[in-house]
Amino acid sequence: MSNLDQIAKLSGFSKATVSRVLNHSPHVSQATRDKITNIMEELDYVPNGNAISLSKGQTQQIGMVTEGINEVMLPFLNSFVETASGHGYQTIIYTSGGDPQKELQAFEDMRRKRVDALVISTCVNDLALLDSYCKYGPIVSWQRMELPEIASVAMNQYDGYLLGLEHVIQRGYTRIANAFGRPSSMNTLSRINAYEDTMRKYGLPVHPHWSRTGVYSIRQGEQLVRELLVGTEEGPNVILCANDLVAAGIVSEARRQQLRIPEDLAVVGFDNTELAHTLGITSIDNPIADQAKNAFHLLLSKLKGVEEEQQKLQYRLVQRATT
């Protein structure tokens, strides 16, 4: 006799009624629900999660795809996990370490119905390959993608970077250097476009050797100061950064080199993290946590077939001591 049969026999109700109680159906009286629940507790009955998933057609699990977990993505991860949990979904984190084959495990799990949907934080596989998985479940990306089938909640970083450029120029800084992130990302290309458009708008010279890509960390920020400013008569007088980590490294090394902040060198970070607040770094506020909420609700709308409202978000500049 199965557990379900035993509960039905002891309670005096049908297996269908017991099943409705297990699935939290509203079409069961409270007295019936209480009697069946008490019997399940007496038998120490635990519902089989796989069986429930099969009956509902969903696992109530969402996969998050990322190259790795770092300080920049933590607000997105934490906000997504918390929002998903509040709606009864678990989040499974897939970290690839930059290995395309390892990353594909997440997409294969969705194909095999081990997760209901995927959210991409960062992804290294070819877009055409990712496109082939869209038929197995909804995919939403925080990473900007030129792929219509995968919706993105990313904001155009052209707008955020433009805020920083206009801010420093209005404050008299015109020798502008850039510490960009991943060379191939749409975010970096948007920031480069914002920089070139702004320099053209104000008739300011572009110094190609003052713009570097692949600069992500505190140590790389420190190295950038040594490369651009140490031993030079006239280097940049402001650096706009890929994130607040780079900005922190620049500020730290500049002070070691006896440079005054912001008189000799101004610094603008990006994301407006706790690090920027603690060190007094001017930064572009990037509403990452709210983008994660938008990502979940976009997935939920596809899973449930109902429209979920998206928050309208925008960047803002937070001025502190480094400008």
Side-chain angles (χ1 to χ4, degrees):
M1 180 184 295
S2 71
N3 286 328
L4 213 59
D5 287 325
Q6 189 177 7
I7 294 168
K9 182 178 180 180
L10 290 172
S11 67
F13 295 103
S14 67
K15 284 175 63 177
T17 301
V18 174
S19 181
R20 281 194 286 271
V21 171
L22 286 171
N23 290 306
H24 305 288
S25 169
H27 306 299
V28 180
S29 71
Q30 189 60 50
T32 299
R33 189 183 308 277
D34 290 343
K35 185 172 182 179
I36 291 173
T37 301
N38 289 337
I39 290 171
M40 286 192 290
E41 289 176 354
E42 289 173 9
L43 295 175
D44 197 21
Y45 173 72
V46 179
N48 185 300
N50 290 332
I52 292 173
S53 295
L54 286 171
S55 68
K56 290 184 174 181
Q58 288 190 0
T59 66
Q60 301 295 109
Q61 296 184 143
I62 296 173
M64 179 179 289
V65 181
T66 182
E67 193 170 347
I69 298 174
N70 55 42
E71 295 90 338
V72 175
M73 77 154 292
L74 273 177
F76 186 89
L77 187 155
N78 290 335
S79 178
F80 187 90
V81 169
E82 182 179 346
T83 305
S85 177
H87 287 77
Y89 284 82
Q90 290 183 318
T91 306
I92 299 176
I93 312 297
Y94 295 87
T95 56
S96 70
D99 182 344
Q101 286 303 120
K102 189 175 180 182
E103 180 179 88
L104 276 183
Q105 181 62 55
F107 296 88
E108 282 296 310
D109 277 2
M110 186 172 71
R111 184 172 73 87
R112 295 186 175 102
K113 306 302 180 187
R114 292 172 179 164
V115 295
D116 300 326
L118 293 175
V119 57
I120 296 171
S121 171
T122 54
C123 198
V124 296
N125 269 287
D126 182 77
L127 293 185
L129 180 58
L130 302 186
D131 185 40
S132 68
Y133 283 91
C134 291
K135 61 188 174 185
Y136 301 116
I139 306 174
V140 168
S141 177
W142 183 35
Q143 179 179 331
R144 292 176 64 201
M145 291 188 174
E146 293 179 326
L147 196 63
E149 291 77 10
I150 298 181
S152 174
V153 295
M155 299 166 64
N156 189 343
Q157 293 197 3
Y158 182 103
D159 302 326
Y161 210 67
L162 191 63
L163 286 177
L165 290 162
E166 291 282 355
H167 171 70
V168 297
I169 289 172
Q170 295 304 320
R171 296 187 68 78
Y173 300 99
T174 56
R175 304 196 309 275
I176 300 173
N178 302 279
F180 296 122
R182 287 187 302 125
S184 61
S185 79
M186 292 180 68
N187 285 336
T188 296
L189 296 177
S190 293
R191 294 187 189 203
I192 291 172
N193 289 337
Y195 168 67
E196 292 176 347
D197 289 349
T198 302
M199 300 306 272
R200 192 179 304 115
K201 172 183 174 181
Y202 288 100
L204 297 173
V206 172
H207 298 277
H209 63 288
W210 287 357
S211 293
R212 307 291 175 87
T213 58
V215 184
Y216 312 102
S217 68
I218 289 176
R219 292 296 179 89
Q220 288 172 321
E222 293 173 344
Q223 180 64 29
L224 190 62
V225 171
R226 294 191 289 270
E227 292 176 359
L228 294 181
L229 293 162
V230 176
T232 60
E233 290 187 6
E234 188 175 85
N237 62 2
V238 59
I239 304 177
L240 277 74
C241 304
N243 56 48
D244 292 333
L245 293 172
V246 176
I250 289 172
V251 169
S252 177
E253 183 62 23
R255 286 172 175 158
R256 278 196 289 270
Q257 298 295 336
Q258 306 301 311
L259 294 170
R260 296 170 301 159
I261 305 287
E263 293 83 0
D264 299 326
L265 180 68
V267 182
V268 179
F270 205 98
D271 292 330
N272 191 33
T273 61
E274 286 297 309
L275 184 63
H277 168 77
T278 301
L279 298 181
I281 297 171
T282 294
S283 187
I284 307 302
D285 185 74
N286 184 10
I288 293 174
D290 288 331
Q291 290 170 62
K293 292 177 184 176
N294 277 350
F296 174 78
H297 286 293
L298 191 54
L299 282 177
L300 191 64
S301 68
K302 295 174 183 293
L303 291 169
K304 300 292 187 183
V306 295
E307 193 66 29
E308 290 281 331
E309 187 174 348
Q310 298 281 290
Q311 294 184 67
K312 294 181 180 179
L313 308 175
Q314 62 183 16
Y315 296 104
R316 65 185 179 91
L317 183 133
V318 180
Q319 183 181 352
R320 298 188 178 96
T322 59
T323 55

